[in-house]
Amino acid sequence: DLSIVCGSELQRFIDQPPALIVEVLSESTKLKDRTWKFELYQQQGVTYYLLADPVAKMFEVFELDGGSYRSIPSRTDMQFTLSLRCRIDVHLPF
């Protein structure tokens, strides 16, 4: 799993929601990742939530839009603008 926080330099603890979270699904966590964490990250304002399923070899990408997640098409190469000074390019392996 991966979280990316953009903005001012972190001190000891994260005091703002990450801009992007990637959850790697497993049989034991996928229900929790798709329900409880999905709702939590949406409520906390995480801009992008990616679910990586290594068994199905696919990614699901969600973008926060007006307080709710909407599914966006995943592509092999994606670019995420997390803030004015924070942009990442992602190459998805599947």
Side-chain angles (χ1 to χ4, degrees):
D1 299 345
L2 169 76
S3 297
I4 297 176
V5 177
C6 298
S8 58
E9 189 172 319
L10 294 177
Q11 299 304 314
R12 221 177 138 146
F13 301 100
I14 297 173
D15 62 354
Q16 63 188 23
L20 182 143
I21 293 178
V22 178
E23 291 283 353
V24 178
L25 299 178
S26 70
E27 200 57 43
S28 63
T29 65
K30 70 180 174 183
L31 180 62
K32 182 175 160 182
D33 293 337
R34 290 185 181 281
T35 57
W36 185 80
K37 287 186 178 181
F38 183 95
E39 290 295 324
L40 175 66
Y41 298 155
Q42 183 173 250
Q43 290 171 359
Q44 293 299 311
V46 175
T47 306
Y48 293 100
Y49 184 41
L50 283 69
L51 295 171
D53 187 336
V55 174
K57 295 188 178 189
M58 63 178 280
F59 275 84
E60 293 177 76
V61 181
F62 299 94
E63 180 178 24
L64 197 62
D65 182 15
S68 297
Y69 279 135
R70 66 177 175 91
S71 178
I72 60 174
S74 64
R75 299 180 313 274
T76 303
D77 293 302
M78 299 187 75
Q79 185 175 86
F80 298 94
T81 301
L82 306 176
S83 70
L84 291 175
R85 296 180 1 176
C86 185
R87 187 185 81 213
I88 63 167
D89 296 313
V90 177
H91 176 73
L92 303 176
F94 352 108

